Amino acid sequence: MFNFLPKSTTLDVACLSRLFEHKTTSYKLLFFGALLSLLEKESERKTWKGKYSYRSICIEMLIDAWYPHRFFALSFGLQDKVGSILEKIEFPTDENACKAQNARDLRAQIEYQFEAIQAKSLLRYAPYRLLTPFFTKELSGTRDSARRMRINELADQRFFTPTPPLYRICQIEQTIHLHPYWMAYLTQHLPIIKSWHQHHWASFLQSRNPNVPAVITKATKPSFRRSLTKQKAFWEKILGHTEIYCVYSGKLLTKENYALDHFLPWSFVGHDQLWNLIPSDPTQNSIKGSKLPCRHDIQKFIETQHHALTTSYALLKKTEWKIAIESYRTDLKLAPCDIIDKTELTNAYNQQLDPMISLAENMGFVKRR
């Protein structure tokens, strides 16, 4: 990963490249990500100070960690205590949480609950451990109990030398001071550094959640939800030619009054594939939110999907139908001729849904009542 980072004639970029060589927990990754977020905000305002309070860093860390852990229910590992702090934050985890206004509300809630959730405990070790690559030789043989004090001393001693560390720690002020040279380097190459950090963050999350789908898309707060225009167009053609009933309420649906539901919640699957979408009564869709379907929902869902697929087979042009069924072929592993075979479709869905629902339950997703 060293070759991925931009070179510097004055700074030891090799030390920076080793920041995440040893990452058993999320702390270092979240701490560095918080520094980048704060530096990016300064860059946008063109007010570079490079001096960040413990409080502001902790808030950024919790915001970055909240979406993967609370919204997408990803694990940070058994040794990681960040999750226990996030669980204390009183904030709704429904699918509206990724909207801009809710993101601002999340920040406000973390600031308000800062002391109650003991947020400052995040910085007990992370600021010191992140500096370890800059003092590898000097720390050789140092006992664990003495490493924090020694790292603090070394950072102060080297801060005004030609080979400075990334930052120094001011315990009295409770602040982190980025070195001006490193601040200039990070600012100049911010998009590349952020991508490098995101690679490590996604890799960490994938290692802790090996069987979870679409982990890389769940590493950060979703910036937007993709349009469901094509998926709605498919279902509205079906709704216009045959009767479709809500799998949750049994209510007859119309093109003018329906909502498109992610049968397995979007916050779990992380995609908008047609095989997982079903028209539903808008009220029921709102109530279901990010909950998992019940066992008795599944057969109704499969029957509705089969009815829609056989209807679309007769209704659509051959090329249109091939495009529409692509996700059924790739994700459910069905041949085109088997997609309209009810037995084959049922078997494929059961093989796909049963393990995914079990995994989602183990992650903390609950079933609708």
Side-chain angles (χ1 to χ4, degrees), residues 133 189 306 315 325:
H189 305 293
H306 179 257
L315 184 65
I325 66 168

Side-chain angles (χ1 to χ4, degrees), residues 26-27 30 60-94 97 106 110 122 201 204-206 208-209 212 214-215 217-222 267-268 290 359-365:
S26 66
Y27 295 91
L30 289 170
E60 294 299 325
M61 290 174 69
L62 289 171
I63 289 171
D64 287 346
W66 191 89
Y67 289 95
H69 182 70
R70 290 292 304 279
F71 184 71
F72 290 118
L74 297 182
S75 171
F76 292 167
L78 295 176
Q79 298 180 25
D80 200 299
K81 304 302 180 184
V82 175
S84 62
I85 296 176
L86 292 167
E87 295 296 334
K88 297 175 185 176
I89 299 172
E90 296 180 6
F91 193 75
T93 56
D94 58 41
L106 172 61
I110 292 174
L122 293 171
W201 178 230
F204 170 80
L205 291 174
Q206 186 68 72
R208 298 301 183 274
N209 303 270
V212 176
V215 167
T217 67
K218 302 174 181 178
T220 58
K221 171 188 171 296
S267 51
F268 172 66
S290 59
L359 174 59
E361 283 189 284
N362 290 335
M363 291 172 64
F365 286 88

Side-chain angles (χ1 to χ4, degrees), residues 224-289:
F224 63 92
R225 287 288 299 273
R226 290 185 178 87
S227 168
L228 297 177
T229 303
K230 292 181 179 179
Q231 295 90 329
K232 287 180 178 179
F234 171 84
W235 277 106
E236 285 174 9
K237 284 183 180 179
I238 305 302
L239 290 166
H241 283 80
T242 188
E243 292 183 344
I244 296 290
Y245 295 87
C246 175
V247 299
Y248 309 120
S249 68
K251 180 179 178 180
L252 178 65
L253 303 173
T254 67
K255 290 193 295 182
E256 294 73 32
N257 187 32
Y258 81 98
L260 206 51
D261 175 64
H262 289 75
F263 192 63
L264 296 178
W266 176 80
S267 51
F268 172 66
V269 295
H271 65 65
D272 302 313
Q273 298 286 40
L274 198 58
W275 67 265
N276 186 51
L277 294 171
I278 198 79
S280 66
D281 172 44
T283 301
Q284 291 297 319
N285 181 64
S286 179
I287 293 171
K288 178 174 177 279

Side-chain angles (χ1 to χ4, degrees), residues 111-160:
E111 290 177 344
Y112 178 72
Q113 300 174 46
F114 191 86
E115 283 75 23
I117 63 177
Q118 299 178 309
K120 205 170 75 171
S121 64
L122 293 171
L123 299 190
R124 186 177 180 185
Y125 298 111
Y128 304 92
R129 289 177 176 168
L130 201 71
L131 287 178
T132 300
F134 292 90
F135 310 117
T136 304
K137 292 180 181 179
E138 294 90 337
L139 291 172
S140 179
T142 304
R143 299 190 311 274
D144 287 344
S145 58
R147 288 176 78 87
R148 282 199 300 172
M149 184 178 294
R150 181 61 177 145
I151 288 171
N152 205 36
E153 292 172 351
L154 290 167
D156 281 340
Q157 292 169 10
R158 290 255 299 271
F159 201 72
F160 298 103

